[in-house]
Amino acid sequence: MWSLKFSTAAIALIPAAIGINYLGKLFAGFLRLPLWLDSIGTVLASIIAGPIIGALSGIINNVIFGLTADPISIVYAITSGAIGLVTGIMAYKGWVSSIRTATITGLIVGLVAAIVSTPLNIIFWGGQTGNVWGDTFFAYLINNNVPMWLASFGNSIVVDVPDKLATVIISYFIFRALPNNFKNMFHGVQGIEEL
């Protein structure tokens, strides 16, 4: 799981995952969806090739997106790395083997993303996320004298948990649809059962 000896297939997966992430974020932004959809490639790469490839895909994606579209995205490379690591570990341990376990993994990944993002949101956005639903909840909590760090965490939970839940489930179904000969190109893929 933690090997730094990457196959050619695993290395080639990184730009594909970055492209999926990039397009997902642009698509969600264009349609003004209440979700980010910017981690599908990261999660898919984590399931296919493990936590290191997934984390690299997420981190590199945020840097590229930050340099080309939204500079603040670079800061959240930390969150994307955490998403890749947690998803890859859970997939390796068999926690993306069914829709039920994928759902649990999505909830855990969303919680981790919220925990990692909250301090970043406080430092760079005054506790907000830039998401209408999350920021509305943040304003409600602040108006009811909830401490800023807790209001910011609530903001992140409202946004990150549904987003990462949807992301992991979408990635699970994409993974299941991939041909076995493609999946077999990656070393160390474990814990995924074809139903």
Side-chain angles (χ1 to χ4, degrees), residues 12-176:
L13 183 62
I14 294 173
I18 291 168
I20 293 168
N21 285 344
Y22 197 91
L23 291 173
K25 186 164 180 92
L26 288 176
F27 178 76
F30 179 73
L31 294 180
R32 298 191 180 274
L33 298 177
L35 305 173
W36 305 120
L37 298 181
D38 62 348
S39 299
I40 295 171
T42 299
V43 169
L44 190 57
S46 296
I47 294 170
I48 293 171
I52 303 293
I53 293 294
L56 287 172
S57 299
I59 291 166
I60 294 168
N61 173 74
N62 276 69
V63 171
I64 291 172
F65 197 84
L67 293 173
T68 60
D70 182 8
I72 198 69
S73 181
I74 294 172
V75 173
Y76 291 96
I78 299 166
T79 305
S80 293
I83 290 165
L85 289 174
V86 171
T87 304
I89 292 167
M90 293 192 75
Y92 185 84
K93 299 290 186 182
W95 279 93
V96 191
S97 60
S98 68
I99 189 65
R100 184 182 69 79
T101 57
T103 300
I104 293 167
T105 297
L107 294 171
I108 291 169
V109 170
L111 180 61
V112 168
I115 290 168
V116 174
S117 294
T118 296
L120 300 173
N121 294 338
I122 291 170
I123 292 166
F124 293 97
W125 294 94
Q128 299 182 17
T129 61
N131 178 288
V132 173
W133 291 15
D135 289 347
T136 300
F137 187 57
F138 174 81
Y140 170 79
L141 293 175
I142 290 294
N143 287 336
N144 285 287
N145 300 315
V146 173
M148 188 192 351
W149 69 268
L150 189 56
S152 183
F153 181 67
N155 183 344
S156 289
I157 288 288
V158 167
V159 176
D160 280 321
V161 171
D163 177 61
K164 300 315 178 274
L165 178 60
T167 295
V168 172
I169 290 172
I170 289 167
S171 299
Y172 165 76
F173 283 114
I174 292 171
F175 179 82
R176 285 199 47 183

